């Protein structure tokens, strides 16, 4: 009869000789930009393997019913690839969604919660880039940088002489809608320009000394500039409506680096056309990539194709964060940028 | 016989009854923009009166030979109106030139010194506006704001998809050429974006902790971005030459809010066209208002019509400063923004 020790040895040998199970599958819905930019090999791991939906010729729904897909344990959603109830239903083993954005309005968070699926986002990786863009848009609108660039390129400087004056940044009262990671970075930057900061968010932040306004309308009335930095939720959809735009007034400027639908876009376009607000710097729109064509003729708006978050440095960082989250998940370690449901 | 007291009283009465001499004359070469913007009455004084060369139909030289002009005691030069030896020669009583700019390359400083004519400039009034513009141009070039705005306005977003990525501000090494009032304001702002600052100037500044490079070429080699904030002098003319641009390199960006001729413009245009530097944000040019036409087709440059200093707030401030300088001068009080010759 084999001793206990002999048995243990036997087991160990059996373990070593038997083929190890294949690494768990991570569904990649769209190809991450960082793969093409820096090489996919930088983002692989021995802890998991990618199953690439974008490499299949099958329609997504059909692809997800294949045997392989049904065993997927984590979903990697980049470039705003939606993760909705239909998709989650076809992936019964999935326990994690990794998003590469800060905003999660393309993920059905309620369904994830119901199914016990954890969600991680880009954390604060993009905050600095988005804040840089918000400040860039504000300087551009106040100081007419893009409009004056068009004026010079059209050869009008020698003909028309000086370009109309812009407006000084220093002393401007800037109201930030949503003082999270992005909003705080915007505030930090604008303080160095001598702007006066106040903010609106669901709750007053105890650690912050900027004046707080619970009501977006009051924030608009008290400021020269509104900068939209919050997430799009049911509560913030069309938060910036006619009433808020009226309160901002004829000399007011609006900057949006949040999501298009936080502003009632139709109303904002009307206000811009009729001079009821002074200008706008917009990185996001309600129906991207469609931008209201009436804006194309206006010199007091700056239009940006939802590129506030896009720098190669951030793409690298966010893809590294995604892989680190996946490795943590498959090693039963704490996730690095867990999204916490309200 | 009249007593001493009686005589004194007599003198006083004579003073009161005799017509007081007309206030001294200040020659206004061009009309200050602030006059039209805010009303000339805000900038008048009982200490002097304006003699407006721009209201006369006579050519300037001829106008200056009139009896009135020859008694001018101070010259007010705005909008870059030159004050050269020819003009000074015709104004033998002039003892002060008031310029409304920070740079004084349109004033013959040597001739002023020789004649004992004091010169005041705009002091630091414009520094913040110029710094704001420099930062705006840098964000614009790095993050493609103007170029992406053109892309959106041309309706290309739905057709071509995403716009090429920009580059992150945080971590960029920024070399400031000329760490005076403007350069210091630029540095303060860019620190809040996480940029690493170093500088070049004639002398190391004991109160500043940023790394100092005596040689512009070395500054360029050690940095990702050069921002030109210095004055145009014989020493800084074409300071940024082929050698410095080569040292800046293929990934380097140059921002100029100083004067056009500080850069060898022809060489810079060649570098931009041939990809030997990565981009440029230019508020000033060698032969304004002419801008090298080759730049009009480039998406990696932002062109601004020498408007870095132009906000209504600053026009007001600089005109108030000019008047305060004139009042001080005619009251024998210290000048407020005296330019000190080297």
């Amino acid at each position: 009869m084999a001793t206990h020790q002999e048995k243990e040895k036997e087991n160990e040998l059996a373990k070593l000789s038997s083929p190890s199970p294949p690494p768990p599958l991570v569904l990649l819905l769209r190809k991450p930009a960082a793969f093409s930019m820096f090489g996919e090999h930088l983002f692989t791991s021995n802890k998991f393997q990618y199953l690439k939906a974008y490499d299949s010729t099958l329609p997504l729904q059909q692809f997800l019913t294949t045997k392989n897909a049904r065993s997927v344990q984590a979903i990697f959603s980049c470039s705003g690839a939606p993760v909705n109830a239909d998709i989650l239903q076809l992936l019964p083993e999935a326990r994690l969604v990794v998003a590469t954005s800060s905003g999660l309005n393309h993920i059905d968070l309620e369904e994830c919660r119901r199914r016990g699926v954890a969600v991680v986002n880009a954390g604060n990786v993009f905050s600095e880039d988005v804040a840089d863009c918000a400040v860039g848009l504000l300087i551009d609108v106040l100081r007419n940088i893009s409009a004056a660039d068009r004026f010079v390129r059209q050869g009008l400087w020698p003909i028309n002489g000086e370009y109309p004056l812009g407006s000084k940044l220093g002393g401007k009262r800037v109201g930030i809608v949503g003082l999270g990671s992005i909003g705080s970075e915007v505030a930090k930057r604008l303080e160095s320009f001598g702007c006066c900061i106040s903010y609106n968010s669901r709750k007053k932040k105890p650690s912050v000394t900027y004046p707080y306004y619970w009501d977006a309308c009051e924030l608009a009335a008290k400021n020269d500039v509104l900068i939209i930095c919050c997430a799009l939720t049911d509560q913030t959809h069309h938060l910036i409506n006619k009433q808020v735009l009226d309160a901002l007034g004829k000399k007011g400027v609006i900057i949006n680096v949040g999501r298009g639908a936080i502003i009632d876009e139709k109303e904002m376009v009307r206000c811009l056309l009729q001079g009821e607000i002074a200008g706008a710097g917009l990185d996001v729109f309600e129906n991207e990539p469609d931008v209201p064509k009436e804006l194309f003729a206006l010199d007091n708006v700056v239009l940006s194709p939802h590129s506030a978050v896009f720098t190669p440095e951030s793409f690298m960082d966010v893809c590294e964060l995604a892989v680190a989250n996946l490795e943590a998940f498959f090693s039963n370690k704490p996730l690095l940028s867990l999204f916490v449901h309200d």
Side-chain angles (χ1 to χ4, degrees), chain A:
Chain A
M1 232 171 112
T3 63
H4 176 69
Q5 279 189 338
E6 276 168 342
K7 258 206 167 157
E8 233 178 25
K9 208 169 189 179
E10 225 166 74
N11 280 342
E12 267 175 29
L13 283 169
K15 248 189 211 165
L16 286 172
S17 59
S18 79
S20 60
L25 285 177
V26 173
L27 178 69
L28 254 175
L29 288 166
R30 293 179 186 166
K31 186 173 181 178
F35 281 20
S36 330
M37 232 177 273
F38 308 107
E40 187 179 326
H41 64 283
L42 292 178
F43 310 104
T44 58
S45 166
N46 57 8
K47 298 232 179 331
F48 60 86
Q49 59 176 323
Y50 291 120
L51 177 69
K52 298 170 182 170
Y54 58 85
D55 270 354
S56 166
T57 52
L58 292 175
L60 181 62
Q61 294 278 356
Q62 204 177 326
F63 175 79
L64 296 181
T65 58
T66 60
K67 186 186 154 211
N68 240 356
R70 290 188 61 87
S71 66
V72 153
Q73 295 188 30
I75 307 167
F76 189 135
S77 155
C78 64
S79 312
V83 179
N84 52 33
D86 291 347
I87 290 175
L88 288 164
Q89 201 185 338
L90 296 170
L91 302 169
E93 307 289 322
R95 288 293 169 268
L96 175 68
V97 173
V98 174
T100 57
S101 57
S102 303
L104 293 173
N105 52 304
H106 55 301
I107 314 285
D108 187 335
L109 295 172
E110 190 45 45
E111 184 65 13
C112 286
R113 171 155 60 175
R114 210 183 61 76
R115 290 181 168 270
V117 174
V119 179
V120 296
N121 67 0
N124 298 341
V125 165
F126 288 132
S127 302
E128 296 189 346
D129 279 345
V130 179
D132 292 349
C133 187
V135 174
L137 288 172
L138 178 59
I139 302 178
D140 197 323
V141 172
L142 289 180
R143 300 297 306 275
N144 305 328
I145 293 183
S146 292
D149 174 271
R150 280 195 296 280
F151 172 83
V152 174
R153 281 173 200 258
Q154 287 163 7
L156 294 175
W157 189 9
I159 299 165
N160 295 9
E162 281 167 15
Y163 192 78
L165 293 183
S167 178
K168 195 183 181 76
L169 264 88
K172 283 279 180 303
R173 297 165 305 165
V174 176
I176 297 180
V177 178
L179 198 72
S181 163
I182 294 170
S184 303
E185 292 288 344
V186 170
K188 185 176 91 179
R189 284 156 178 71
L190 288 180
E191 278 197 280
S192 78
F193 290 83
C195 297
C196 308
I197 311 291
S198 58
Y199 75 106
N200 158 262
S201 62
R202 279 168 304 178
K203 291 176 198 157
K204 189 175 185 328
K205 308 207 174 248
S207 61
V208 166
T209 55
Y210 307 132
Y212 168 74
Y213 296 98
W214 177 80
D215 180 32
C217 229
E218 204 187 336
L219 184 80
K222 290 278 166 61
N223 280 287
D224 307 305
V225 175
L226 279 190
I227 304 189
I228 315 301
C229 303
C230 62
L232 175 61
T233 63
D234 288 346
Q235 285 75 45
T236 63
H237 183 267
H238 282 202
L239 172 69
I240 310 301
N241 54 19
K242 182 179 185 328
Q243 212 186 344
V244 175
L245 293 165
D246 280 352
L248 184 60
K250 279 184 195 306
K251 292 189 172 177
V253 165
I254 196 158
I255 304 293
N256 192 0
V257 291
R259 285 289 183 272
I262 298 167
I263 303 181
D264 179 343
E265 192 173 80
K266 212 172 144 188
E267 190 57 35
M268 178 186 63
V269 170
R270 197 192 58 74
C271 285
L272 284 164
L273 287 171
Q274 303 191 354
E276 293 177 17
I277 63 172
L282 307 168
D283 184 53
V284 286
F285 303 88
E286 277 208 71
N287 304 300
E288 296 171 7
D290 288 324
V291 175
K293 293 201 174 28
E294 304 95 309
L295 298 179
F296 293 178
L298 297 184
D299 273 342
N300 56 342
V301 299
V302 183
L303 306 169
S304 171
H306 200 150
S307 56
V309 301
F310 292 165
T311 68
E313 293 86 345
S314 296
F315 270 130
M316 182 71 173
D317 290 347
V318 84
C319 225
E320 284 181 346
L321 177 64
V323 171
N325 266 306
L326 288 165
E327 292 196 325
F329 176 74
F330 290 117
S331 314
N332 290 315
K333 288 183 180 161
L335 295 167
L336 301 170
S337 56
L338 181 67
F339 173 77
V340 181
H341 295 273
D342 274 338

